[in-house]
Amino acid sequence: MVIDVYQQYYAAEGTFNGRERHGADVKLTSDSEAGQIRYDVSVSFFLHDTEDDFGISYDAYFEETVYEAKGRRSSKREAGLLEHLQKTADRLAEENGGRIFWDQPLREARRG
């Protein structure tokens, strides 16, 4: 079962495939199957050329597994992973020539 533990859109900058991007979809996702749990942090840069443009294209998508082991979801573990979310997402963005503006959320956070 795949669940977005946390998702939020932020203002961002970066150029990918010749197009400037102005938004980033940042997620912490859990994936559990057959007694295994995995958590991934992902950043997907999207155009956001207008205020209501939230069309996510996955050509500027970057992901890192931050935890994987036997077990199941744990709210304590998720709280700890959320503490490091910005650092991990910043590194993914910087490694790929992008930047996330954490002080400029484009929508409210969603939690699952």
Side-chain angles (χ1 to χ4, degrees):
M1 178 185 300
V2 177
I3 297 172
D4 289 333
V5 175
Y6 170 88
Q7 178 185 23
Q8 190 161 11
Y9 298 121
Y10 290 94
E13 66 182 11
T15 301
F16 303 93
N17 295 318
R19 300 282 314 267
E20 286 187 29
R21 311 300 169 101
H22 305 286
D25 179 13
V26 178
K27 293 182 184 180
L28 174 65
T29 304
S30 73
D31 186 359
S32 60
E33 183 178 336
Q36 287 287 116
I37 185 77
R38 185 181 80 226
Y39 289 92
D40 299 312
V41 170
S42 64
V43 178
S44 184
F45 288 90
F46 59 99
L47 295 174
H48 196 59
D49 289 334
T50 63
E51 192 172 306
D52 61 345
D53 177 11
F54 290 93
I56 306 296
S57 60
Y58 290 94
D59 64 337
Y61 176 85
F62 310 100
E63 178 181 75
E64 179 179 310
T65 298
V66 292
Y67 181 87
E68 187 169 12
K70 288 185 184 276
R72 56 186 177 176
R73 285 186 68 189
S74 157
S75 53
K76 183 177 177 180
R77 180 183 310 119
E78 290 175 0
L81 293 171
L82 284 170
E83 287 181 20
H84 300 284
L85 176 82
Q86 286 187 3
K87 182 178 177 181
T88 303
D90 276 339
R91 186 172 34 73
L92 287 170
E94 289 171 16
E95 288 174 355
N96 293 285
R99 183 172 172 208
I100 301 166
F101 300 109
W102 297 105
D103 59 341
Q104 298 176 42
L106 300 175
R107 286 195 174 167
E108 294 294 316
R110 289 188 261 171
R111 296 181 184 259

